[in-house]
Amino acid sequence: MLGTIRPKSDVPADTLTTGPFDRARPRAFVAIAVAVAANLGSIGAAQGQAWATRPGLLGTLLLLVSPAVLLFLLPRRPALATVLSVAAALTFLLAGYPWGPVFLGPAAVLATVMLSGDLRRARRIAWSGAALLAGGVASVAVLLAPRVERVLSDLPRNPHGYWGPDSYGPGWMRGDGAWFLTPDALIAGAGWLAIVLLIASAARDRISRRVAARAAARETAAERERTAVASERLRIARELHDVLAHSLSAINVQAGVGLHLLEKNPGQAREALSNIRDTSKDALAEVRTVLGIVREGASPPAPGTLPDDAAPLAPTWDLTALHRLADQARADGLDVAVELGPDVADLPDHLAGVVHRVVQESLTNVRRHAPSAFRVILRVTGSNGVTVVVADDGVGSGGPVEPGYGLLGMRERVEGAGGTLSAGPRPDGPGWEVRATLPISTRSTSTPLVETARPVSTGSTSDADTTETGETA
């Protein structure tokens, strides 16, 4: 349908999703917290690790590398941010500074990488960075172990396990802080880092699903709006076509009659010109009404602004309207027989409008495409449903003709009301027949301006679509 087709993106949905730490404000908050905690914590940790050096200016700068990359490199350069943060932490440890709080920086950077930027890339970089950090820490532990052992062996150990001037002997598992270098501690640290990244990954998945759901809701709303706009366009096109095609066909026929009789019979020519004037007046009034209804904020036309016999725009059809259409066709030289069943007098408004437009378009097609037609049968009956039949005795051109907007509009109206439409040669003789069958439902009698869009097939409703003998709009 017009206005409802949009090209689909080839990019996966999750690659279009941004993380919560793409914004600078949450990253700044985490960076400040990590800077304060890592520096103060390292100063305190140095008091409990007898072999460690208290961080000085170099140590403080190394601890500030992770907060800096959080602020300035993420989310644009996640790989570089990860490498710098891990390298700064490992350099801090190799310099002999205390273990513990230094890991806050790399852990925060890895978690932030997981929660920012492209999802797939973020996962790949974060887990790679975690492996790099774990391997680097294990390597540093192996390198530092002899040095720490030498330092601790020179320190006395007291019976309570606390190092001090009056203590004696080495104490790897005591209060000397050397427990950071044990295999169990290293494995536990790697496990906690994995838990942090798993939690960040789960949070990112949940956030991505929520973002995707909101995007889908916005797309659904936009699609609904586009469908409503397209449906309104189709409605306007149908209304204008029905009004103009019917009136202009009548004007064309009357103009031909007037030109033919202008010199031979001025009285009949005058009558033809009067019919042209009346038909054009009605057409102008109906076009103004259609445009007034579809304008934003416009209200329906006031009583008396349309001629009494003007065709209804909002469906308010009754038997008089069909008789008026038949009278207009008779004025063009057709012998129209109207057969109305007794049970169709009180049709719902929405069905009445569809019946009126089907009859109007069918009579217009007889004028335009069956010039040899003389007699037209108009039959409307109903019991469980409504059946509309418009048949003529004309002879078409015999060649296939592509269906026009008139037939398409009739089919859309009928199928929109839940019915079926067929158009083709008459089974009982020469001529053309249009047959519409509509179900009677308990639908409200008020018809909204914007109709629900329904897919309409122009190639499977009837064989007449591809083998018409010349009668089509």
Side-chain angles (χ1 to χ4, degrees):
M1 178 176 292
L2 179 63
T4 61
I5 299 177
R6 292 189 63 182
K8 294 183 179 180
S9 174
D10 295 332
V11 183
D14 55 0
T15 63
L16 302 177
T17 304
T18 57
F21 281 90
D22 285 347
R23 295 174 296 174
R25 181 174 297 179
R27 295 201 314 274
F29 176 81
V30 173
I32 294 174
V34 168
V36 174
N39 280 277
L40 295 181
S42 295
I43 294 174
Q47 304 298 325
Q49 299 178 26
W51 51 271
T53 303
R54 183 172 180 176
L57 177 61
L58 176 60
T60 301
L61 294 176
L62 291 173
L63 291 174
L64 291 177
V65 170
S66 292
V69 300
L70 281 173
L71 285 175
F72 303 112
L73 292 183
L74 291 178
R76 295 172 298 160
R77 300 288 186 272
L80 179 60
T82 300
V83 171
L84 290 179
S85 177
V86 172
L90 296 180
T91 304
F92 184 89
L93 297 176
L94 286 173
Y97 296 123
W99 290 46
V102 64
F103 297 117
L104 287 176
V109 169
L110 292 176
T112 304
V113 167
M114 184 71 76
L115 292 171
S116 62
D118 174 76
L119 179 56
R120 293 180 180 178
R121 183 186 180 195
R123 283 176 173 168
R124 184 170 61 252
I125 294 176
W127 286 110
S128 299
L132 177 64
L133 179 63
V137 170
S139 300
V140 171
V142 172
L143 294 175
L144 288 180
R147 172 189 170 186
V148 174
E149 185 176 1
R150 287 195 303 270
V151 172
L152 295 180
S153 63
D154 295 338
L155 295 176
R157 182 172 63 88
N158 61 27
H160 303 290
Y162 295 100
W163 292 92
D166 299 328
S167 300
Y168 58 90
W172 279 84
M173 301 302 296
R174 301 292 182 175
D176 52 24
W179 63 272
F180 282 107
L181 303 178
T182 62
D184 293 342
L186 295 177
I187 293 174
W192 278 110
L193 179 61
I195 291 175
V196 170
L197 291 184
L198 288 174
I199 294 175
S201 180
R204 180 65 186 274
D205 287 339
R206 183 175 181 180
I207 293 171
S208 298
R209 287 194 296 270
R210 292 176 60 184
V211 171
R214 288 196 295 266
R218 289 193 298 268
E219 178 63 24
T220 300
E223 185 70 19
R224 189 181 301 115
E225 182 179 355
R226 289 192 296 270
T227 301
V229 170
S231 181
E232 179 64 8
R233 287 176 178 173
L234 290 177
R235 177 180 174 86
I236 296 171
R238 285 196 298 266
E239 294 292 347
L240 291 177
H241 177 276
D242 289 345
V243 171
L244 295 178
H246 177 77
S247 301
L248 292 179
S249 295
I251 290 173
N252 181 65
V253 172
Q254 293 293 336
V257 173
L259 289 174
H260 180 70
L261 299 176
L262 184 60
E263 296 180 359
K264 298 180 181 179
N265 194 333
Q268 292 187 10
R270 180 182 296 275
E271 182 180 355
L273 292 175
S274 298
N275 291 334
I276 291 175
R277 181 195 60 190
D278 296 339
T279 303
S280 60
K281 178 182 177 182
D282 293 346
L284 287 174
E286 291 187 55
V287 170
R288 290 193 187 100
T289 303
V290 172
L291 296 179
I293 291 176
V294 300
R295 283 179 64 88
E296 182 179 1
S299 57
T305 57
L306 283 178
D308 294 337
D309 57 352
L313 274 278
T316 55
W317 169 84
D318 55 18
L319 299 182
T320 304
L322 284 190
H323 286 294
R324 185 186 68 86
L325 293 176
D327 291 339
Q328 290 179 350
R330 293 188 186 104
D332 296 335
L334 294 174
D335 181 12
V336 182
V338 181
E339 301 176 12
L340 302 178
D343 45 2
V344 297
D346 298 323
L347 286 180
D349 285 350
H350 72 284
L351 288 183
V354 174
V355 170
H356 180 278
R357 292 310 190 191
V358 168
V359 172
Q360 183 184 54
E361 182 60 29
S362 299
L363 292 176
T364 299
N365 285 344
V366 172
R367 296 191 190 96
R368 295 179 60 190
H369 303 293
S372 62
F374 175 74
R375 181 173 177 81
V376 179
I377 299 175
L378 169 57
R379 184 184 304 114
V380 181
T381 59
S383 55
N384 296 329
V386 180
T387 301
V388 183
V389 177
V390 181
D392 64 78
D393 59 356
V395 178
S397 61
V401 178
E402 290 294 329
Y405 293 118
L407 182 59
L408 178 61
M410 279 195 295
R411 183 169 292 120
E412 288 175 345
R413 289 182 186 275
V414 172
E415 292 185 357
T420 58
L421 177 76
S422 62
R426 292 178 60 179
D428 55 351
W432 192 265
E433 178 181 281
V434 175
R435 179 181 295 268
T437 303
L438 301 166
I440 297 180
S441 63
T442 57
R443 175 177 164 180
S444 171
T445 58
S446 61
T447 303
L449 185 59
V450 179
E451 299 171 340
T452 302
R454 295 173 57 93
V456 178
S457 173
T458 61
S460 60
T461 304
S462 170
D463 293 340
D465 289 355
T466 56
T467 61
E468 289 180 305
T469 58
E471 292 186 44
T472 182

